[in-house]
Amino acid sequence: MQSRTEKNRKKQENIEEEEKREKRKKQAKRIFIFLLIFFIFFSSSYLYITYIATKKIIVKEKVVISKELPDNFIGKKLIHFSDLHYGSTVFISELKNIVTEINKRNPDLVVFTGDLIDEDYDLSIQELEEISKQLKKIKATIGKYAVSGEEDTENFQTIMNQSNFSILNNDYDLVYSNDANPILIIGLNSLSLDRNIDNGFRYFNEEGCNPNIYTIALLHEPDSIDTIKEKYKINLALAGHSHNGGVRFPLLGGLNKEEGAYTYHENYYKLDQTELYVSNGLGTSNYQFRLFNHPSINFFRLRK
């Protein structure tokens, strides 16, 4: 028969064991809640940077003002898009949405600054035809122009020709609107491709050229601008390639800097008399996600 002391000790042990079980339950509950919050945060972040942040297109509207702009171009609208990287996060459904967003603005000029198809994507003939069909739907009252990027192959030439884009790889075009007072659009392809800057700017060596003509330069890599400005006058330069860093954080800016966009990788730079706009791009390169940096289209209104 147990003594009262033994019974009390046994009871105390049971109480202590129960307290330990309750403590372990509380600890397990805390760990479960922590893991659940971590899982929700990680899953939400992954879904956001992989799907939402790569799909929602931002249209950045800007006003470009220049006293050198001919009167017949005042009020004209220009759309600039770049780095589609079809096969990364952009496929036919996304491309249809891009074309819709462009046409909503009723642009007069549309320009593309390189990297049409992702270099790691095996493009089928059916997709090539469908991409051409969609890009052909882009409406521009004056014209559509393009330059190639470092990832562009013969598919770029085929698609752009079928889509009624004029390819300006190291070439230029005098662009008219209603009368005989044009602007000049010069296209320079990627630094990694065969490139002849002087050929692109040969207009200024031709007899009867207008040295003060309003000039737009289409580039793929924005860092080209310093080399070009040493020799030639440009009013407006439009470039791509940088994706504005891909992943961005407040105060830190873009984290990933591509070769050819080490110096100029943000959205806008004022360089003496030249305004440089760098596109966010529409697809992704190297990694298929974005953060605080939605794919975008630049929409410009020309003013005097």
Side-chain angles (χ1 to χ4, degrees):
M1 185 174 178
Q2 290 180 322
S3 66
R4 178 176 293 180
T5 301
E6 290 174 335
K7 287 181 180 179
N8 287 339
R9 186 171 62 248
K10 186 68 174 176
K11 186 175 181 180
Q12 185 63 33
E13 289 175 353
N14 290 339
I15 292 173
E16 290 175 355
E17 187 62 33
E18 183 65 26
E19 288 176 348
K20 288 180 182 178
R21 281 196 295 268
E22 287 298 321
K23 188 175 181 180
R24 286 195 294 268
K25 285 181 182 178
K26 288 180 180 179
Q27 288 175 337
K29 186 177 180 180
R30 290 193 193 101
I31 292 172
F32 174 77
I33 292 172
F34 172 79
L35 292 175
L36 180 62
I37 292 172
F38 177 80
F39 174 77
I40 292 172
F41 174 78
F42 179 81
S43 301
S44 301
S45 298
Y46 176 79
L47 290 172
Y48 173 79
I49 66 177
T50 307
Y51 297 102
I52 298 173
T54 60
K55 302 297 181 184
K56 183 181 178 181
I57 298 173
I58 303 296
V59 178
K60 297 180 178 180
E61 185 168 349
K62 312 287 183 182
V63 175
V64 174
I65 300 173
S66 174
K67 57 187 177 183
E68 293 184 15
L69 193 70
D71 289 345
N72 51 307
F73 278 89
I74 295 173
K76 297 301 181 184
K77 294 176 286 186
L78 185 156
I79 290 280
H80 168 217
F81 70 114
S82 189
D83 296 88
L84 196 71
H85 286 279
Y86 182 93
S88 59
T89 53
V90 174
F91 294 90
I92 293 300
S93 60
E94 289 77 25
L95 180 57
K96 288 180 178 179
N97 186 36
I98 291 165
V99 172
T100 298
E101 289 297 326
I102 291 173
N103 285 338
K104 273 183 187 178
R105 275 80 194 169
N106 299 313
D108 300 290
L109 286 164
V110 175
V111 300
F112 177 75
T113 52
D115 282 356
L116 182 65
I117 309 297
D118 193 76
E119 62 180 349
D120 296 322
Y121 188 71
D122 187 13
L123 190 71
S124 69
I125 295 175
Q126 291 78 13
E127 285 176 303
L128 185 149
E129 292 174 349
E130 185 62 26
I131 293 168
S132 301
K133 177 182 174 183
Q134 293 304 321
L135 292 178
K136 189 174 183 178
K137 291 180 180 179
I138 293 177
K139 305 299 181 185
T141 61
I142 296 176
K144 303 191 294 186
Y145 296 90
V147 294
S148 57
E150 82 281 1
E151 295 190 16
D152 289 317
T153 63
E154 63 275 4
N155 285 332
F156 172 85
Q157 184 105 15
T158 301
I159 292 170
M160 287 305 181
N161 286 336
Q162 292 180 357
S163 306
N164 297 333
F165 274 78
S166 298
I167 300 174
L168 295 179
N169 283 342
N170 311 318
D171 206 349
Y172 77 86
D173 192 22
L174 288 169
V175 181
Y176 293 84
S177 175
N178 301 325
D179 64 15
N181 198 4
I183 64 173
L184 179 67
I185 294 185
I186 295 168
L188 300 173
N189 61 9
S190 172
L191 289 165
S192 64
L193 304 173
D194 291 336
R195 193 179 208 195
N196 186 339
I197 292 176
D198 291 331
N199 191 65
F201 283 85
R202 70 186 186 279
Y203 166 80
F204 292 105
N205 296 320
E206 295 177 358
E207 186 178 351
C209 77
N210 174 9
N212 297 314
I213 190 171
Y214 186 85
T215 303
I216 299 174
L218 309 181
L219 319 172
H220 182 61
E221 294 97 342
D223 285 359
S224 307
I225 193 67
D226 286 336
T227 302
I228 296 166
K229 281 177 76 280
E230 289 176 359
K231 298 179 67 176
Y232 300 105
K233 177 192 77 73
I234 304 170
N235 297 96
L236 176 65
L238 305 175
H241 187 60
S242 83
H243 297 261
N244 291 151
V247 173
R248 299 180 61 83
F249 288 100
L251 303 179
L252 296 178
L255 299 188
N256 181 46
K257 293 183 181 179
E258 298 279 352
E259 184 178 0
Y262 288 139
T263 304
Y264 304 108
H265 47 82
E266 297 296 327
N267 288 285
Y268 173 77
Y269 297 89
K270 177 69 173 177
L271 308 170
D272 299 323
Q273 300 305 308
T274 301
E275 290 189 281
L276 170 63
Y277 287 90
V278 183
S279 170
N280 277 22
L282 288 160
T284 56
S285 180
N286 300 325
Y287 43 84
Q288 273 67 60
F289 61 86
R290 288 172 175 263
L291 184 61
F292 304 124
N293 183 26
H294 284 282
S296 69
I297 295 167
N298 287 334
F299 173 39
F300 301 101
R301 295 180 185 273
L302 305 182
R303 296 283 187 263
K304 194 161 184 176

